[in-house]
């Protein structure tokens, strides 16, 4: 009987939905799937979409409803996302046996009628347009009203067991027809889910707009100065000669995930798409699963398309296009003469391997292009075509540094020879497209070994005797580029990338040259498919294991050869398979380091000297310069950064600290807890590999992360007491006490006011990087 009860409820709910559908059809006529393909025009009687409605959606709804992890794929970041509606199909799946069809907004369907054929249902009323019909026939308004009708606590953690905040909770996708049944069954699940209801004015704005039929007017066109720059970039990307076409393809396959703006209108974003139509004509977007898939046309054009969607931190990858960058790109790819006799095809085994596809392009040009905005490049590995990915990100540590080999002429020539010799062993999982066998990773393991052997032999032949690894072989950003040094911070299934080396010592460090940087991009970004099957995801994760170790091996090569094994044994405690791989690879890299050391702690000294060497390109904000904090406040921030071990292990992964100063100013600091592990070489049982006594804490000026787990507010005079309380954390009960005193919980009446203050401060600090934070991971303690 217990097993039958859920089934009975489901049957009852399903029958009720059918009845309500018939009633709505009888009262307001049948639904028209194409109703919002031609949206109602704006009127003076209704709130204006851009001036009134969009700000409320951005500040209260987009936090959870954006990107692939939006509940029921309901993306409220743009009008197109609102009118597309929702779907019960899950994007993320760790057990998918066959690749699923993609459902990317702006690509895989270009009308609401098309989305209905892909099983998306409306959240707006698509029947007759009357205020009554729009109230009763739209799920969005009913879910907002449902929240206001329920009582919401004003303090403490939420105790309602019907509110599930787990990451992989079962999703319930509510239609207008099922809204009444859902409200009766789950009265506290209205929107915003698990957060305070909208203020009366905000609710009235949205409800009046929805009752009026969700009127909309397109945004104004870009400024003339921006249009001229777009023309200049599209001229570069769409020249007719073969060399230009190959360069454009390379740029597109690296930039297609970005959001671009111009200095004359920085608030306006664009994306780079493939189009069937040439510049000067309306964009006819080519939608393929991957950027290197066959476009199905003889000639591809690369176009900058205006974006309406509000930017969210979990996917935002901003890049400014300006005349200086255009000049640099031209210089790298067109400064020297070289032939491109034939354009490569789009067969998966060719297109998925950038070293085959772009062999005609100079290595120096490709490497410089990726280095110039290395934060953007590496950020793509973390955000890329997904907004969360625990399977992929479980392969990296919580806190590590990334630096790069110098793009010198000698090194580039050696790399060109290496790629010619090793190209057959550099294939990537995307050659199998999105459905990969579960054991395919074994083939890639053998190819990686063969590649490392080739690399080792070539280095011995070309560089032996007068070339050894040392800090002076690392790129210094040409003395001015802060992208020379990066810190990666992993937050379970998301990660952030910061320019500069944060922390006294990282958990590990990667040194990347061009081949490694390029393979990571084509493994984790261009070649990765979030809709792919479990074999594709597994092969990607395990291949990344090899690439991470390759970068770590290069860094450890800066140490004396006799000390390298001990470093690996600490980094891979319990990782027998990885230690065996490293031992085998070490046979090919036995050249000793030429780095001189003065102390007995060679690894610690190496970290310190690395920071000293890259200090000229370190941004002042990392050291609290210009932060607006007093000397006493900075002292407390440094105290926080010195807390280690068990107290840190009880903190949330990422907390936003709102510091209220005596002068009335508000400052924002990120507290990032770095969880230590015996190794990151295993797919599962992460908690079994935890080393809480080795956890560290970073206090970072501004926002570092997209998914805060806690919001804390502290008055400046109480900051020393707050730091003391953090240093004494000994249990979850202590954390609850800390939240009782300083936390802004989901129930706090000031939650939205605090959220608005955080975003306002962030926009002031970093106007081109600030975006909307996701509150779906807030702890309920």
């Amino acid at each position: 009987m217990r097993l039958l009860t859920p089934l009975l409820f489901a049957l009852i709910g399903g029958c009720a939905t059918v009845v309500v559908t018939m009633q709505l059809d009888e009262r307001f006529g049948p639904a028209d799937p194409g109703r919002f393909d031609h949206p109602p025009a704006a009127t003076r009687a209704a709130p204006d979409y851009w001036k009134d409605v969009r700000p409320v959606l951005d500040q209260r709804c987009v936090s959870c409803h954006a990107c692939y992890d939006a509940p029921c794929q309901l993306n409220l970041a743009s009008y197109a996302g609102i009118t597309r509606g929702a779907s019960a199909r899950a994007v993320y799946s760790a057990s998918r046996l066959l690749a699923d069809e993609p459902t990317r907004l702006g690509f895989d369907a270009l009308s609401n009628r098309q989305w209905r054929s892909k099983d998306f249902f409306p959240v707006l009323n698509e029947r007759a347009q009357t205020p009554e019909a729009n109230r009763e026939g739209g799920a969005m308004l009913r879910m907002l009203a449902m929240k206001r009708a329920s009582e919401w606590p004003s303090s403490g953690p939420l105790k309602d067991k019907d509110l599930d905040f787990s990451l992989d909770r079962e999703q319930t996708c509510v239609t207008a027809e099922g809204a009444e049944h859902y409200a009766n069954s789950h009265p506290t699940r209205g929107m915003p889910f698990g957060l305070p209801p909208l203020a009366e004015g905000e609710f009235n704005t949205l409800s009046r707009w929805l009752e009026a039929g969700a009127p909309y007017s397109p945004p104004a066109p870009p400024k003339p100065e921006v249009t001229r720059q777009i023309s200049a970039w599209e001229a570069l990307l769409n020249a007719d000669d073969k060399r230009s076409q190959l360069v454009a393809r390379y740029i597109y396959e690296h930039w297609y995930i970005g959001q671009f703006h111009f200095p004359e209108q920085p608030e306006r974003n664009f994306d780079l798409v493939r189009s069937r139509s040439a510049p000067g004509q309306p964009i006819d977007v080519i939608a393929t699963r991957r950027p290197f898939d066959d476009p199905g046309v003889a000639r591809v054009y690369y176009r900058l398309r205006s974006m309406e969607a509000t930017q969210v931190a979990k996917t935002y990858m901003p890049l400014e296009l300006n005349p200086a960058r255009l000049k640099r790109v031209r210089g790298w790819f067109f400064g020297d003469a070289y032939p491109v006799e034939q354009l490569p095809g789009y067969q998966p085994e060719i297109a998925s391997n950038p070293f085959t596809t772009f062999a005609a392009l100079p290595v120096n040009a490709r490497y410089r292009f990726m280095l110039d905005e290395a934060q953007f490049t590496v950020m793509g590995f973390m955000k890329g075509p997904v907004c969360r990915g625990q399977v992929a990100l479980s392969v990296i540590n919580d806190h590590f540094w990334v630096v790069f080999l110098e793009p010198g002429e000698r090194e580039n020539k050696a790399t060109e020879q290496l790629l010619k010799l090793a190209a057959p062993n550099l294939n990537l999982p995307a050659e199998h497209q999105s459905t990969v066998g579960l054991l395919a990773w074994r083939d890639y393991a053998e190819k990686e070994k063969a590649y490392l052997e080739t690399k080792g032999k070539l280095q011995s032949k070309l560089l032996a005797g007068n070339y050894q690894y040392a800090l002076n072989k690392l790129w210094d950003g040409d003395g001015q580029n802060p992208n020379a040094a990066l810190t990666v911070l992993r937050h379970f299934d998301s990660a952030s990338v910061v320019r500069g080396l944060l922390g006294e010592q990282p958990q590990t460090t990667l040194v990347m040259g061009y081949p490694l940087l390029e393979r990571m991009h084509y493994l984790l970004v261009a070649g990765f498919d979030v809709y792919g099957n479990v074999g594709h995801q597994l092969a990607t994760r395990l291949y990344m294991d090899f690439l991470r170790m390759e970068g770590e091996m290069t860094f450890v090569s800066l140490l004396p050869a006799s000390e390298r094994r001990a470093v690996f044994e600490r980094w891979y405690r319990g990782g027998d398979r990885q230690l065996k791989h490293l031992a085998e690879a070490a046979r090919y890299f036995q050249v000793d380091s030429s780095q001189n050391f003065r102390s007995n702690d060679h690894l610690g000294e190496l970290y310190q000297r690395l920071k000293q060497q890259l200090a000229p390109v370190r941004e002042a904000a990392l050291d609290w310069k210009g932060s607006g904090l007093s000397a006493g406040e900075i002292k407390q921030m440094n105290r926080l950064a010195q807390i280690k071990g068990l107290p840190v292990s009880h903190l949330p992964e990422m907390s936003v600290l709102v510091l209220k100063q005596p002068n009335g100013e508000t400052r924002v600091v990120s507290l990032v807890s770095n969880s230590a592990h015996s190794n990151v070489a295993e797919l599962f049982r992460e908690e079994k590999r935890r080393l809480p006594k080795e956890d560290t804490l970073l206090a970072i000026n501004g926002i570092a992360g997209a998914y805060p787990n806690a919001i804390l507010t502290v008055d400046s005079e109480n900051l020393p007491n707050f730091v003391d309380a953090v240093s004494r954390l000994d249990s979850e009960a202590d954390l609850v006490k800390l939240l009782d005193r300083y936390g802004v919980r989901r129930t706090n009446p000031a939650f939205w006011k605090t959220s608005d203050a955080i975003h306002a401060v962030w926009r002031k600090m970093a106007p081109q990087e600030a975006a909307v934070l996701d509150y779906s991971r807030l702890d309920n303690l």
Side-chain angles (χ1 to χ4, degrees), residues 514-570:
Y514 167 69
L516 182 56
L517 197 61
E518 192 75 277
R519 278 186 293 161
M520 282 195 180
H521 176 78
Y522 275 82
L523 176 74
L524 299 175
V525 186
F528 185 74
D529 179 16
V530 69
Y531 300 93
N533 79 328
V534 62
H536 169 73
Q537 297 178 37
L538 180 64
T540 299
R541 193 267 183 222
L542 293 172
Y543 197 104
M544 178 59 194
D545 216 11
F546 301 132
L547 299 188
R548 184 201 64 247
M549 288 188 287
E550 186 178 332
E552 291 169 340
M553 280 193 294
T554 305
F555 172 73
V556 172
S557 296
L558 296 170
L559 293 169
S562 60
E563 298 181 17
R564 298 169 187 171
R565 174 77 183 183
V567 174
F568 285 133
E569 286 178 346
R570 179 167 179 79

Side-chain angles (χ1 to χ4, degrees), residues 298-313:
R299 175 68 192 272
V300 173
Y301 297 96
Y302 301 95
R303 307 289 301 280
L304 285 162
R305 179 176 65 170
S306 180
M307 302 179 72
E308 290 189 23
T310 299
Q311 299 305 327
V312 292

Side-chain angles (χ1 to χ4, degrees), residues 29 147 192-193 231 292 295 320 383 452 512 533 535 539 569 589 602 619-620 646 678 701 705:
K147 182 57 169 279
F193 180 81
S231 297
F292 52 71
E320 182 172 282
K383 296 182 178 181
L452 291 176
M512 295 191 192
N533 79 328
E569 286 178 346
F589 301 94
H602 291 173
E619 294 178 305
L646 293 177
S678 58
N701 185 26

Side-chain angles (χ1 to χ4, degrees), residues 327-347:
K327 182 179 180 180
R328 291 198 300 275
V329 171
R330 288 186 184 277
W332 294 326
F333 289 104
F334 299 99
D336 297 326
Y338 56 91
V340 176
E341 297 174 355
Q342 184 175 359
L343 292 176
Y346 291 95
Q347 300 92 329

